[in-house]
Amino acid sequence: MILNRALAGQLDREDPLKDFGQKIFSEDKPMVYLDGNSLGKLPVATIRQQEELLHHKWGTRLIRSWNEGWYEMPISLGAKLAPLIGAGEAEVVYSDSTSMNLYKLAFSALQHQKGRKKIVSDTLNFPTDLYVLQGLINSMGNQHELVLARSEDGMTVSTQELERVIDDDTALVLLSHVVFKSGFLYDMEKVSALAHRKGALVLWDLSHSAGAVPVELNRCGADLAAGCSYKYLNGGPGAPAFLFVTEKLQEKLESPVWAWYGDSDPFAFNLKYSPAKGMKKFLVGTPPMLSLSAIEPALDLILEAGMDRLREKSLKQTQFLIDCAQEYLLPLGFSIGTPVKPEMRGSHVSLRHKEAYRICKALIDPDDGSIPVIPDFREPDNIRIGITPLYTSFTDVFEAIERLLSITKGRIYERYSAEKAAVT
Ligand SMILES: Cc1ncc(COP(=O)(O)O)c(C=O)c1O
């Protein structure tokens, strides 16, 4: 692979999704944004929609708006997301944060699997997933044990390792479909089948896969899932999360949070809770309409682009990045912290370097007039480069590699402090 701006430009011209870049807000100053896996960019249509929401729906219609689409929105938007994650329309709702949804679903699963005492996750999982399980074990009287599958290479977890830890006593397996640091993509079908053979339920965290890779929850036999909307789904900072329960389990599971949005008849104001049928019982309180509404224009864009085309472009771009990194960055002390096999990776690539934090700072905050390049840093030494094929261009990837080269070769990072900011 020859690092070549003209080649990147040619790939951009041939890109069938190139027009989507114009549907995303960008400021006048050039910037290369490679952090859509932490906070997705702002669709232009969302700006218009939020203006209309403020002026008309809140400003003018006020309380009447609840009967003009707001009340049903956690369910109607769930139905819109459903095809992107391979779910049925009545299997997905929006509510709360990913952490809260993981809590609700894990609780339901453990209660349903009474008698089984083991919960399985892995050492690569995002901390909130593990904290939620630890907290649940604590609040359920410390009768369960959390067992973590180990990674031999720090990037992936093998099927043999999962076979070792999942057994007949396992109630629940909770894994991130795409791992947050390494970008490792689990084989959802294989792992779900493995868990089911032992009688365990599987809960998938889709935070790094919804909108990033095609997800087929029902085809793969998934039981439960949750994920966030502010990364590849471009729903905005702190956008409400979603949760999925396979239809087969919906009537069998109970939410741990009994609240009025999950009641069968909230406006009857009954004194005794009676759970709604289906997914509605997993709702809790009044949804945040400003941020919930903002999810819709972004979903429309992804549905229009199509997950298959997005995946095709994402794989080309992550491959371009990996090829360039192998050629130019490995000799400068980098290593690749992401599986190189395409079927084993999601849509971000981690480049590891002992000076990763300072290199990241030099990318984000250039002091020499260069274009800012924005990835993120993940402890201890990962520069995480998020490819969001809806708007990332091949030229963006080229710029990132070129900047990494010059910052590392010229030791420009030495001009930056190693003191960590609160959010990295
Ligand atoms: C894999 C994964 N799960 C869960 C979360 C946390 O989600 P929330 O803050 O919505 O609870 C994140 C956040 O980055 C994540 O990457």
Side-chain angles (χ1 to χ4, degrees), residues 109-203:
L110 294 181
Q111 198 189 42
H112 179 66
Q113 297 273 69
K114 271 204 184 87
R116 289 173 172 252
K117 299 293 179 211
K118 202 165 156 184
I119 308 170
V120 168
S121 187
D122 68 29
T123 55
L124 302 178
N125 211 345
F126 190 79
T128 212
D129 299 46
L130 305 181
Y131 301 163
V132 158
L133 295 175
Q134 290 159 14
L136 259 177
I137 292 173
N138 185 48
S139 55
M140 291 176 97
N142 290 305
Q143 291 168 29
H144 297 87
E145 180 197 9
L146 175 60
V147 177
L148 301 183
R150 291 188 296 256
S151 168
E152 272 189 17
D153 58 4
M155 283 190 269
T156 63
V157 174
S158 67
T159 309
Q160 294 89 306
E161 173 64 0
L162 288 177
E163 276 166 348
R164 186 183 71 80
V165 290
I166 300 173
D167 61 22
D168 294 333
D169 196 29
T170 306
L172 176 68
V173 178
L174 164 53
L175 297 169
S176 287
H177 185 208
V178 172
V179 167
F180 83 108
K181 272 189 204 171
S182 71
F184 168 54
L185 170 66
Y186 269 107
D187 182 333
M188 183 183 276
E189 189 176 13
K190 204 168 171 182
V191 175
S192 302
L194 195 165
H196 291 162
R197 280 200 294 282
K198 299 288 180 186
L201 294 178
V202 195
L203 165 52

XYZ file of all heavy atoms in Angstrom, residues 109-203:
741
model
N -33.316 -11.481 33.271
C -32.763 -12.779 32.877
C -32.425 -13.610 34.106
O -32.732 -14.809 34.172
C -31.527 -12.575 32.011
N -31.804 -12.983 35.113
C -31.407 -13.742 36.309
C -32.633 -14.238 37.068
O -32.655 -15.355 37.578
C -30.529 -12.870 37.224
C -29.167 -12.470 36.649
C -28.392 -11.629 37.649
C -28.350 -13.697 36.252
N -33.642 -13.395 37.104
C -34.871 -13.799 37.792
C -35.535 -14.972 37.063
O -36.013 -15.909 37.670
C -35.804 -12.596 37.841
C -36.897 -12.731 38.860
C -37.898 -11.618 38.713
O -38.276 -11.259 37.590
N -38.322 -11.071 39.820
N -35.489 -14.910 35.738
C -36.090 -15.973 34.921
C -35.314 -17.291 35.033
O -35.876 -18.370 34.911
C -36.107 -15.497 33.464
C -36.675 -16.492 32.505
N -37.989 -16.877 32.534
C -36.102 -17.189 31.493
C -38.207 -17.759 31.570
N -37.075 -17.972 30.934
N -34.008 -17.154 35.259
C -33.123 -18.339 35.280
C -32.833 -18.771 36.716
O -31.706 -19.166 37.015
C -31.799 -17.982 34.580
C -31.933 -17.629 33.113
C -31.876 -18.868 32.236
O -32.783 -19.692 32.235
N -30.799 -19.019 31.497
N -33.812 -18.648 37.570
C -33.617 -18.987 39.008
C -32.964 -20.363 39.136
O -33.289 -21.279 38.407
C -34.967 -18.997 39.725
C -35.337 -17.646 40.271
C -36.318 -17.750 41.442
C -36.716 -16.361 41.882
N -37.846 -15.814 41.149
N -32.038 -20.462 40.080
C -31.378 -21.755 40.294
C -30.007 -21.789 39.640
O -29.114 -22.480 40.101
N -29.820 -21.014 38.578
C -28.494 -20.942 37.935
C -27.715 -19.795 38.584
O -28.246 -18.699 38.737
C -28.642 -20.712 36.431
C -29.182 -21.943 35.708
C -29.472 -21.651 34.257
N -29.802 -22.870 33.567
C -29.003 -23.488 32.683
N -27.841 -22.960 32.352
N -29.378 -24.615 32.122
N -26.458 -20.029 38.874
C -25.728 -19.089 39.731
C -24.558 -18.386 39.049
O -23.832 -17.637 39.690
C -25.182 -19.837 40.974
C -26.260 -20.446 41.831
C -27.098 -19.360 42.476
C -28.216 -19.915 43.328
N -29.380 -19.055 43.343
N -24.372 -18.657 37.789
C -23.180 -18.096 37.159
C -23.553 -17.061 36.089
O -24.527 -17.257 35.346
C -22.438 -19.267 36.510
C -20.990 -19.030 36.258
C -20.343 -20.390 35.970
C -19.093 -20.211 35.161
N -18.498 -21.496 34.785
N -22.775 -15.977 36.024
C -22.940 -14.986 34.958
C -21.588 -14.896 34.247
O -20.545 -14.806 34.907
C -23.306 -13.596 35.515
C -24.512 -13.683 36.457
C -23.566 -12.611 34.386
C -24.780 -12.402 37.225
N -21.621 -14.910 32.927
C -20.363 -14.879 32.175
C -20.263 -13.579 31.370
O -21.228 -13.149 30.735
C -20.267 -16.104 31.225
C -19.125 -15.940 30.231
C -20.095 -17.396 32.033
N -19.080 -12.982 31.450
C -18.754 -11.874 30.535
C -17.280 -12.055 30.145
O -16.769 -13.173 30.268
C -19.018 -10.521 31.197
O -18.836 -9.498 30.237
N -16.624 -10.987 29.696
C -15.205 -11.156 29.362
C -14.381 -9.982 29.862
O -14.915 -8.931 30.219
C -15.019 -11.384 27.850
C -15.350 -10.157 27.018
O -15.188 -9.036 27.512
O -15.763 -10.318 25.857
N -13.068 -10.171 29.872
C -12.173 -9.138 30.414
C -12.025 -7.963 29.454
O -11.393 -6.970 29.808
C -10.764 -9.727 30.685
O -10.300 -10.327 29.463
C -10.776 -10.748 31.794
N -12.569 -8.074 28.256
C -12.464 -6.967 27.290
C -13.692 -6.063 27.337
O -13.744 -5.054 26.643
C -12.326 -7.518 25.857
C -11.153 -8.456 25.585
C -11.192 -8.940 24.136
C -9.818 -7.764 25.868
N -14.667 -6.441 28.136
C -15.945 -5.725 28.072
C -15.828 -4.303 28.622
O -14.951 -3.990 29.429
C -17.024 -6.512 28.833
C -18.394 -6.296 28.212
O -18.588 -5.375 27.418
N -19.354 -7.122 28.574
N -16.748 -3.463 28.188
C -16.808 -2.090 28.687
C -17.149 -2.136 30.180
O -18.040 -2.875 30.595
C -17.887 -1.318 27.910
C -17.860 0.159 28.175
C -16.926 0.974 27.549
C -18.751 0.734 29.053
C -16.896 2.334 27.801
C -18.731 2.096 29.312
C -17.801 2.899 28.680
N -16.467 -1.316 31.000
C -16.650 -1.435 32.447
C -18.101 -1.359 32.914
O -18.496 -2.095 33.829
C -15.828 -0.270 32.999
C -14.760 -0.074 31.981
C -15.379 -0.401 30.646
N -18.922 -0.506 32.302
C -20.293 -0.398 32.835
C -20.999 -1.751 32.814
O -21.761 -2.082 33.717
C -21.105 0.690 32.084
O -22.028 1.276 32.994
C -21.876 0.181 30.894
N -20.738 -2.553 31.799
C -21.385 -3.866 31.703
C -21.027 -4.716 32.931
O -21.868 -5.413 33.499
C -20.949 -4.602 30.425
C -21.328 -3.836 29.161
O -21.083 -2.616 29.118
O -21.882 -4.445 28.230
N -19.755 -4.638 33.311
C -19.296 -5.440 34.450
C -19.799 -4.839 35.758
O -20.211 -5.566 36.667
C -17.769 -5.528 34.441
C -17.160 -6.072 33.131
C -15.639 -6.145 33.230
C -17.716 -7.451 32.781
N -19.797 -3.508 35.847
C -20.276 -2.856 37.084
C -21.757 -3.186 37.314
O -22.182 -3.446 38.432
C -20.120 -1.337 37.019
C -18.717 -0.816 36.806
C -18.504 0.500 36.376
C -17.593 -1.613 37.037
C -17.231 1.002 36.189
C -16.310 -1.109 36.846
C -16.135 0.195 36.408
O -14.872 0.681 36.210
N -22.529 -3.140 36.233
C -23.961 -3.441 36.346
C -24.147 -4.850 36.891
O -24.967 -5.086 37.787
C -24.634 -3.278 34.952
C -25.930 -4.056 34.864
C -24.878 -1.806 34.646
N -23.369 -5.782 36.388
C -23.488 -7.173 36.867
C -23.046 -7.286 38.328
O -23.698 -7.943 39.135
C -22.658 -8.111 35.988
C -23.138 -8.234 34.533
C -22.178 -9.101 33.721
C -24.558 -8.804 34.452
N -21.937 -6.594 38.662
C -21.461 -6.658 40.049
C -22.517 -6.077 40.992
O -22.797 -6.618 42.065
C -20.136 -5.880 40.192
C -18.967 -6.570 39.491
C -17.806 -5.621 39.173
O -17.728 -4.499 39.678
N -16.901 -6.059 38.322
N -23.128 -4.963 40.576
C -24.156 -4.315 41.403
C -25.383 -5.208 41.558
O -25.969 -5.295 42.637
N -25.754 -5.865 40.471
C -26.914 -6.761 40.519
C -26.667 -7.922 41.466
O -27.537 -8.285 42.263
C -27.162 -7.335 39.120
C -28.268 -6.699 38.310
C -28.329 -7.333 36.938
C -29.607 -6.851 39.013
N -25.468 -8.488 41.357
C -25.132 -9.616 42.236
C -25.245 -9.162 43.691
O -25.847 -9.831 44.531
C -23.701 -10.136 41.919
C -23.698 -10.793 40.533
C -23.225 -11.114 42.991
C -22.335 -11.204 40.024
N -24.725 -7.965 43.948
C -24.779 -7.416 45.298
C -26.222 -7.229 45.758
O -26.606 -7.647 46.844
C -24.015 -6.079 45.310
C -23.911 -5.496 46.690
O -23.550 -6.191 47.624
N -24.267 -4.238 46.820
N -27.054 -6.621 44.888
C -28.413 -6.326 45.349
C -29.305 -7.570 45.350
O -30.374 -7.563 45.950
C -29.033 -5.185 44.542
O -28.979 -5.486 43.194
N -28.860 -8.642 44.701
C -29.657 -9.874 44.734
C -29.136 -10.840 45.805
O -29.385 -12.048 45.745
C -29.676 -10.538 43.347
C -30.461 -9.725 42.320
S -30.400 -10.431 40.645
C -31.925 -11.357 40.600
N -28.371 -10.320 46.731
C -27.987 -11.140 47.894
C -26.722 -11.970 47.701
O -26.520 -12.956 48.410
N -25.879 -11.577 46.753
C -24.590 -12.253 46.522
C -24.720 -13.770 46.336
O -23.922 -14.546 46.857
C -23.618 -11.941 47.676
C -23.197 -10.494 47.621
O -22.692 -10.020 46.596
N -23.446 -9.762 48.684
N -25.707 -14.143 45.551
C -25.873 -15.586 45.295
C -25.285 -16.001 43.950
O -25.244 -17.169 43.613
C -27.354 -15.939 45.303
C -27.970 -15.819 46.682
C -29.473 -15.890 46.618
O -30.036 -16.522 45.725
N -30.122 -15.226 47.543
N -24.919 -14.984 43.133
C -24.362 -15.294 41.807
C -22.860 -15.032 41.790
O -22.350 -14.255 42.589
C -25.019 -14.427 40.725
C -26.486 -14.668 40.566
N -27.418 -14.006 41.323
C -27.165 -15.492 39.741
C -28.633 -14.415 40.970
N -28.506 -15.319 40.013
N -22.223 -15.668 40.800
C -20.779 -15.450 40.632
C -20.547 -14.927 39.207
O -21.117 -15.474 38.242
C -20.058 -16.791 40.812
C -18.563 -16.699 40.672
C -17.903 -18.082 40.436
O -18.621 -19.070 40.207
O -16.674 -18.120 40.435
N -19.737 -13.874 39.093
C -19.391 -13.347 37.761
C -18.070 -13.966 37.310
O -17.050 -13.842 38.003
C -19.269 -11.817 37.821
C -18.795 -11.113 36.559
C -19.737 -11.376 35.376
C -18.676 -9.599 36.784
N -18.095 -14.632 36.159
C -16.879 -15.272 35.638
C -16.520 -14.596 34.317
O -17.381 -14.452 33.440
C -17.106 -16.787 35.418
C -15.878 -17.440 34.807
C -17.461 -17.457 36.727
N -15.261 -14.173 34.198
C -14.853 -13.455 32.989
C -13.998 -14.335 32.080
O -12.956 -14.846 32.507
C -14.064 -12.195 33.359
C -14.807 -11.173 34.233
C -13.933 -9.944 34.474
C -16.129 -10.763 33.585
N -14.453 -14.484 30.842
C -13.621 -15.175 29.846
C -12.393 -14.305 29.583
O -12.501 -13.076 29.517
C -14.417 -15.378 28.560
N -11.256 -14.962 29.438
C -10.003 -14.205 29.275
C -9.606 -14.105 27.809
O -9.969 -14.948 26.988
C -8.881 -14.886 30.065
C -9.062 -14.771 31.569
C -7.840 -15.293 32.298
N -7.639 -16.719 32.048
C -7.917 -17.672 32.925
N -8.370 -17.366 34.118
N -7.696 -18.936 32.632
N -8.816 -13.079 27.549
C -8.296 -12.896 26.194
C -6.814 -13.215 26.203
O -6.081 -12.715 27.057
C -8.501 -11.438 25.778
O -7.781 -11.168 24.607
N -6.384 -14.016 25.229
C -4.954 -14.350 25.197
C -4.131 -13.245 24.563
O -3.000 -13.008 24.931
C -4.750 -15.637 24.400
C -4.865 -16.829 25.286
C -4.465 -18.108 24.589
O -3.814 -18.051 23.537
O -4.831 -19.162 25.137
N -4.737 -12.564 23.588
C -3.967 -11.564 22.840
C -4.361 -10.128 23.186
O -3.863 -9.183 22.579
C -4.147 -11.803 21.324
C -5.610 -11.750 20.916
O -6.467 -11.455 21.776
O -5.909 -12.003 19.724
N -5.264 -9.952 24.142
C -5.697 -8.604 24.521
C -6.656 -7.977 23.519
O -7.061 -6.827 23.685
N -7.025 -8.741 22.487
C -7.902 -8.179 21.454
C -9.168 -9.011 21.271
O -10.230 -8.494 20.985
C -7.176 -8.201 20.096
C -6.156 -7.138 19.897
S -5.629 -7.142 18.172
C -4.267 -8.238 18.199
N -9.009 -10.336 21.371
C -10.113 -11.240 21.017
C -10.352 -12.233 22.155
O -9.504 -12.392 23.044
C -9.768 -12.050 19.746
O -8.625 -12.869 20.037
C -9.424 -11.166 18.577
N -11.493 -12.903 22.097
C -11.763 -14.010 23.030
C -12.107 -15.223 22.168
O -12.944 -15.131 21.259
C -12.931 -13.666 23.984
C -13.290 -14.861 24.848
C -12.572 -12.475 24.874
N -11.470 -16.344 22.443
C -11.666 -17.514 21.584
C -12.936 -18.268 21.963
O -13.417 -18.189 23.098
C -10.464 -18.455 21.697
O -10.436 -19.005 22.994
N -13.448 -19.029 20.997
C -14.626 -19.869 21.252
C -14.293 -20.906 22.323
O -15.123 -21.193 23.192
C -15.021 -20.590 19.942
O -15.123 -19.609 18.923
C -16.341 -21.309 20.070
N -13.077 -21.433 22.288
C -12.680 -22.440 23.292
C -12.762 -21.855 24.695
O -13.189 -22.512 25.635
C -11.237 -22.934 23.065
C -11.028 -23.699 21.784
C -10.662 -22.755 20.631
O -11.371 -21.793 20.346
N -9.568 -23.044 19.959
N -12.346 -20.602 24.829
C -12.391 -19.965 26.154
C -13.848 -19.798 26.608
O -14.177 -20.032 27.773
C -11.658 -18.607 26.094
C -11.755 -17.740 27.330
C -11.108 -18.344 28.594
O -10.567 -19.456 28.539
O -11.209 -17.678 29.650
N -14.720 -19.423 25.675
C -16.137 -19.294 26.052
C -16.707 -20.659 26.413
O -17.476 -20.792 27.364
C -16.939 -18.663 24.914
C -16.689 -17.170 24.686
C -17.476 -16.675 23.482
C -17.073 -16.351 25.919
N -16.297 -21.684 25.665
C -16.772 -23.046 25.980
C -16.310 -23.470 27.378
O -17.013 -24.173 28.088
C -16.248 -24.048 24.947
C -17.144 -24.068 23.716
C -16.514 -24.779 22.526
O -15.293 -25.071 22.561
O -17.253 -25.018 21.553
N -15.130 -22.978 27.753
C -14.586 -23.333 29.078
C -15.416 -22.700 30.207
O -15.668 -23.328 31.228
C -13.123 -22.856 29.172
C -12.390 -23.290 30.422
C -10.975 -22.726 30.487
N -10.938 -21.291 30.737
C -11.079 -20.734 31.929
N -11.277 -21.470 32.989
N -11.034 -19.414 32.075
N -15.854 -21.446 29.984
C -16.497 -20.754 31.113
C -18.025 -20.869 31.136
O -18.637 -20.702 32.189
C -16.080 -19.254 31.172
C -14.632 -19.113 31.582
C -16.346 -18.536 29.869
N -18.638 -21.134 29.990
C -20.109 -21.243 29.990
C -20.480 -22.700 30.283
O -20.049 -23.608 29.571
C -20.700 -20.813 28.623
C -20.319 -19.352 28.323
C -22.217 -20.984 28.603
C -20.703 -18.865 26.931
N -21.250 -22.915 31.347
C -21.610 -24.302 31.682
C -23.084 -24.391 32.088
O -23.833 -23.416 31.957
C -20.671 -24.852 32.769
C -20.749 -24.044 34.058
O -21.772 -23.358 34.261
O -19.795 -24.096 34.849
N -23.473 -25.549 32.596
C -24.893 -25.789 32.909
C -25.420 -24.939 34.057
O -26.627 -24.931 34.317
C -25.097 -27.275 33.272
C -24.832 -28.162 32.063
O -25.015 -27.683 30.935
O -24.421 -29.323 32.254
N -24.491 -24.254 34.755
C -24.925 -23.399 35.862
C -25.014 -21.928 35.416
O -25.306 -21.043 36.208
C -23.908 -23.543 37.017
C -24.469 -23.007 38.318
O -25.715 -23.052 38.494
O -23.682 -22.527 39.156
N -24.723 -21.682 34.141
C -24.695 -20.289 33.665
C -26.108 -19.789 33.380
O -26.834 -20.376 32.576
C -23.821 -20.177 32.382
O -22.537 -20.732 32.667
C -23.667 -18.739 31.945
N -26.446 -18.691 34.039
C -27.773 -18.090 33.833
C -27.738 -17.151 32.633
O -28.660 -17.116 31.814
C -28.178 -17.311 35.084
N -26.660 -16.378 32.547
C -26.623 -15.284 31.575
C -25.208 -15.066 31.055
O -24.241 -15.133 31.818
C -27.110 -13.993 32.274
C -27.052 -12.705 31.465
C -28.070 -12.737 30.317
C -27.330 -11.490 32.355
N -25.116 -14.764 29.751
C -23.847 -14.358 29.148
C -24.057 -12.930 28.635
O -24.996 -12.673 27.889
C -23.473 -15.287 27.963
C -22.178 -14.831 27.307
C -23.379 -16.738 28.419
N -23.226 -12.006 29.090
C -23.330 -10.609 28.636
C -22.022 -10.211 27.950
O -20.961 -10.186 28.578
C -23.611 -9.673 29.818
C -23.392 -8.167 29.608
C -24.137 -7.624 28.400
C -23.793 -7.368 30.843
N -22.116 -9.933 26.659
C -20.919 -9.570 25.890
C -21.204 -8.356 25.027
O -22.346 -8.131 24.612
C -20.513 -10.733 24.972
C -20.112 -12.038 25.651
C -19.990 -13.161 24.619
C -18.809 -11.883 26.426
N -20.149 -7.594 24.723
C -20.285 -6.527 23.727
C -20.075 -7.152 22.358
O -19.054 -7.814 22.131
C -19.233 -5.435 23.957
O -19.573 -4.684 25.092
N -21.009 -6.915 21.470
C -20.915 -7.509 20.127
C -19.625 -7.055 19.448
O -18.907 -7.862 18.852
C -22.158 -7.075 19.332
C -22.292 -7.686 17.995
N -22.946 -7.081 16.966
C -21.860 -8.866 17.489
C -22.912 -7.855 15.906
N -22.257 -8.935 16.190
N -19.328 -5.755 19.537
C -18.021 -5.241 19.109
C -17.348 -4.678 20.359
O -17.933 -3.867 21.077
C -18.159 -4.143 18.035
C -16.806 -3.487 17.750
C -18.742 -4.712 16.740
N -16.132 -5.133 20.609
C -15.408 -4.757 21.827
C -14.907 -3.311 21.735
O -14.350 -2.905 20.710
C -14.230 -5.748 22.026
C -13.261 -5.254 23.073
C -14.777 -7.130 22.387
N -15.083 -2.556 22.830
C -14.860 -1.105 22.732
C -13.425 -0.699 22.461
O -13.187 0.310 21.815
C -15.418 -0.382 23.970
C -14.525 -0.357 25.186
C -13.904 0.809 25.587
C -14.312 -1.498 25.939
C -13.087 0.867 26.707
C -13.499 -1.470 27.072
C -12.884 -0.285 27.449
N -12.442 -1.458 22.945
C -11.052 -1.037 22.664
C -10.551 -1.635 21.356
O -10.097 -0.926 20.477
C -10.119 -1.460 23.796
C -10.020 -0.436 24.910
C -8.922 -0.796 25.894
C -9.227 -0.144 27.237
N -8.344 -0.591 28.301
N -10.627 -2.950 21.250
C -9.965 -3.591 20.103
C -10.818 -3.626 18.843
O -10.295 -3.865 17.757
C -9.587 -5.036 20.463
O -10.747 -5.835 20.559
N -12.120 -3.420 18.978
C -12.987 -3.509 17.801
C -13.281 -4.942 17.379
O -13.859 -5.166 16.313
N -12.904 -5.921 18.225
C -13.189 -7.342 17.916
C -14.694 -7.555 17.794
O -15.454 -7.130 18.658
C -12.597 -8.219 19.036
C -13.055 -9.650 19.007
C -12.935 -10.424 17.864
C -13.599 -10.236 20.152
C -13.360 -11.764 17.852
C -14.016 -11.564 20.155
C -13.902 -12.327 19.000
N -15.094 -8.238 16.713
C -16.509 -8.516 16.450
C -16.787 -9.980 16.774
O -16.242 -10.882 16.121
C -16.799 -8.223 14.969
C -18.148 -8.643 14.389
C -19.298 -7.862 15.007
C -18.161 -8.437 12.864
N -17.614 -10.207 17.781
C -18.000 -11.585 18.115
C -18.875 -12.175 17.016
O -19.630 -11.456 16.361
C -18.813 -11.603 19.412
C -17.993 -11.787 20.669
C -17.786 -10.724 21.540
C -17.456 -13.019 20.998
C -17.056 -10.897 22.721
C -16.726 -13.201 22.156
C -16.526 -12.141 23.008
O -15.798 -12.334 24.158
N -18.802 -13.486 16.861
C -19.716 -14.201 15.982
C -20.997 -14.444 16.797
O -21.076 -15.376 17.600
C -19.071 -15.529 15.552
C -19.943 -16.303 14.587
O -21.180 -16.136 14.633
O -19.386 -17.087 13.790
N -21.972 -13.561 16.600
C -23.171 -13.580 17.451
C -23.915 -14.904 17.365
O -24.402 -15.429 18.366
C -24.086 -12.418 17.044
C -25.317 -12.289 17.910
S -26.414 -10.979 17.370
C -25.707 -9.552 18.129
N -23.982 -15.445 16.162
C -24.755 -16.682 15.973
C -24.090 -17.849 16.725
O -24.743 -18.603 17.443
C -24.845 -16.992 14.476
C -25.789 -18.125 14.182
C -25.956 -18.363 12.685
O -25.162 -17.830 11.881
O -26.899 -19.095 12.332
N -22.767 -17.940 16.566
C -22.024 -19.041 17.173
C -22.087 -18.959 18.702
O -22.335 -19.954 19.383
C -20.569 -18.923 16.707
C -19.780 -20.178 16.718
C -18.505 -19.892 15.960
C -17.497 -20.972 16.055
N -16.270 -20.621 15.340
N -21.868 -17.750 19.221
C -21.839 -17.594 20.684
C -23.235 -17.803 21.275
O -23.388 -18.447 22.321
C -21.281 -16.200 21.067
C -21.363 -15.972 22.561
C -19.843 -16.051 20.590
N -24.259 -17.294 20.590
C -25.627 -17.482 21.111
C -25.948 -18.977 21.151
O -26.511 -19.471 22.139
C -26.651 -16.743 20.241
O -26.350 -15.369 20.194
N -25.570 -19.702 20.094
C -25.862 -21.139 20.041
C -25.111 -21.877 21.155
O -25.664 -22.754 21.826
C -25.486 -21.697 18.674
N -23.869 -21.484 21.348
C -23.042 -22.103 22.406
C -23.708 -21.910 23.775
O -23.837 -22.848 24.569
C -21.679 -21.405 22.369
C -20.439 -21.938 23.050
C -19.240 -21.197 22.478
C -20.472 -21.827 24.527
N -24.171 -20.676 24.046
C -24.814 -20.381 25.331
C -26.117 -21.171 25.469
O -26.407 -21.747 26.522
C -25.079 -18.894 25.452
N -26.889 -21.220 24.387
C -28.180 -21.915 24.449
C -28.010 -23.409 24.697
O -28.814 -24.025 25.383
C -28.972 -21.672 23.155
C -29.439 -20.261 23.035
N -29.854 -19.691 21.856
C -29.561 -19.277 23.969
C -30.205 -18.430 22.071
N -30.029 -18.161 23.343
N -26.941 -23.980 24.146
C -26.700 -25.422 24.380
C -26.562 -25.719 25.876
O -26.868 -26.794 26.340
C -25.436 -25.885 23.638
C -25.667 -26.158 22.149
C -24.578 -27.038 21.571
N -23.269 -26.425 21.553
C -22.862 -25.524 20.656
N -23.660 -25.127 19.680
N -21.638 -25.022 20.722
N -26.082 -24.711 26.616
C -25.917 -24.898 28.068
C -27.111 -24.337 28.839
O -27.087 -24.245 30.072
C -24.635 -24.185 28.547
C -23.363 -24.701 27.904
C -23.023 -26.078 28.440
C -21.750 -26.609 27.798
N -21.478 -27.984 28.182
N -28.106 -23.852 28.127
C -29.313 -23.334 28.803
C -29.187 -21.899 29.289
O -30.023 -21.432 30.060
N -28.126 -21.185 28.858
C -27.948 -19.786 29.298
C -28.637 -18.830 28.323
O -28.817 -19.155 27.146
C -26.455 -19.470 29.375
N -29.009 -17.661 28.824
C -29.516 -16.602 27.944
C -28.351 -15.684 27.575
O -27.379 -15.572 28.328
C -30.593 -15.779 28.663
C -31.892 -16.508 29.010
C -32.831 -15.571 29.774
C -32.590 -17.019 27.744
N -28.474 -15.002 26.419
C -27.395 -14.096 26.003
C -27.928 -12.688 25.846
O -28.956 -12.455 25.205
C -26.766 -14.498 24.651
C -25.440 -13.769 24.451
C -26.566 -15.965 24.555
N -27.204 -11.764 26.453
C -27.515 -10.329 26.363
C -26.362 -9.657 25.623
O -25.212 -9.722 26.074
C -27.686 -9.786 27.795
C -27.680 -8.275 28.022
C -28.666 -7.554 27.120
C -28.005 -7.969 29.502
